[in-house]
Amino acid sequence: MRYFLRLATKSAWTGAANPTHEQRERAKNNFRLREDERGLSVWEFNDEEELKLVLAAISCQRQRSGHIDYLEVDEVTIHGLGQVASTVGQTPVTKANSLHRELCWSQQQLDALADTLIANGKVATRAKRSDVRGFVSALDDGDVDDSLRDWLATQREKHAEQEAKKKR
């Protein structure tokens, strides 16, 4: 089954059975369109390798190897509410950019998606910094924009140090 990744605020997506109005609004904020957006940015992935690639691309785009919080939404839920547009991502990781999608939906449709996820007790996932750094380190040099080579090298060094500490 295919899934869609949406960046999220982990503290807003706790899976609470009876979220307060404030909790619901914080969660729904992850599905609000900004004025300059024509669609909500999501990433489509089919397996663990594509998920790791997308997380690495997001980290590269931010030029930060910190944790990444996100929601995984199954294709049945997404396609039940609207169409998904294929768009080219804007990350420095060429291979990942083809996995970018947009939900060019009305705010009402996006609210319905958020409400469905809240009602189903959806919990955000956190990719830990150490894992994200590992995903970044695994990228092929040819898949990353040349402007990030120094940053990528630093991330690989930090990952190697981190792995060495684990073995001690």
Side-chain angles (χ1 to χ4, degrees), residues 66-100:
H67 67 265
I68 299 174
D69 297 338
Y70 62 95
L71 296 168
E72 289 183 23
V73 184
D74 65 84
E75 66 181 328
V76 173
T77 300
I78 295 285
H79 290 296
L81 291 167
Q83 297 295 312
V84 178
S86 293
T87 58
V88 178
Q90 300 298 311
T91 76
V93 182
T94 310
K95 197 172 173 182
N97 288 336
S98 64
L99 300 173
H100 189 263

Side-chain angles (χ1 to χ4, degrees), residues 41-61:
S41 177
V42 295
W43 298 87
E44 184 175 359
F45 65 97
N46 294 301
D47 56 35
E48 193 74 19
E49 290 307 307
E50 286 183 345
L51 173 59
K52 290 175 182 179
L53 176 65
V54 167
L55 293 170
I58 291 167
S59 179
C60 287
Q61 183 177 30

Side-chain angles (χ1 to χ4, degrees), residues 5 11 14 21 25 28 39 42 56-57 66 79 89-90 96 101 111 114 116 118 124 130 141 149 154 158:
L5 177 149
S11 62
T14 62
H21 175 74
E25 288 305 307
K28 289 171 85 167
V42 295
H79 290 296
Q90 300 298 311
R101 307 288 182 264
D111 287 345
T116 298
I118 293 166
S130 58
D141 284 344
R149 293 297 152 90
T154 301
K158 289 179 179 179

Side-chain angles (χ1 to χ4, degrees), residues 24 29 33 36 39-40 48 53 56 65 75 79 83 85 97 112 122 127 132 135-136 138 141 157 161 165:
R24 293 178 73 78
N29 280 340
L33 285 174
D36 62 334
L40 193 74
E48 193 74 19
L53 176 65
S65 61
E75 66 181 328
H79 290 296
Q83 297 295 312
N97 288 336
K122 185 56 107 175
V132 171
F135 305 156
V136 169
D141 284 344
E157 287 171 18
E161 290 170 8
K165 283 181 184 178

